[in-house]
Amino acid sequence: EAKPEILARWLNGRTYDGIVVVGDSPGDIELKRVAGGKSYLYSHHGIPFRDCNGCNPDHRIRDLREVLREI
């Protein structure tokens, strides 16, 4: 089973004030289409960001602490 289907099943019937999607791959960022919210594409310093091919993350970060601004 693919990540989007697993996430959709898990979110079914639940509500949240906000959702933050964090990942290092286009597939991770695509989960925003299922969950909504904001997305952060992560890459270590010195390593290029993966090509997202239109996945359009809200933010590109190199420090995971930047996600803390969402909580």
Side-chain angles (χ1 to χ4, degrees), residues 7-65:
L7 180 59
R9 189 176 67 243
W10 191 82
L11 289 172
N12 188 29
R14 293 180 168 96
T15 58
Y16 296 92
D17 291 335
I19 292 180
V20 178
V21 175
V22 181
D24 64 353
S25 72
D28 294 337
I29 302 305
E30 288 292 330
L31 292 175
K32 179 181 171 182
R33 290 185 187 189
V34 174
K38 294 206 178 160
S39 60
Y40 287 79
L41 181 64
Y42 172 77
S43 184
H44 291 280
H45 289 281
I47 298 175
F49 287 99
R50 287 179 161 178
D51 184 12
C52 239
N53 295 326
C55 72
N56 197 25
D58 295 304
H59 305 279
R60 293 174 186 262
I61 61 172
R62 296 201 181 271
D63 185 340
L64 290 170
R65 292 175 290 187

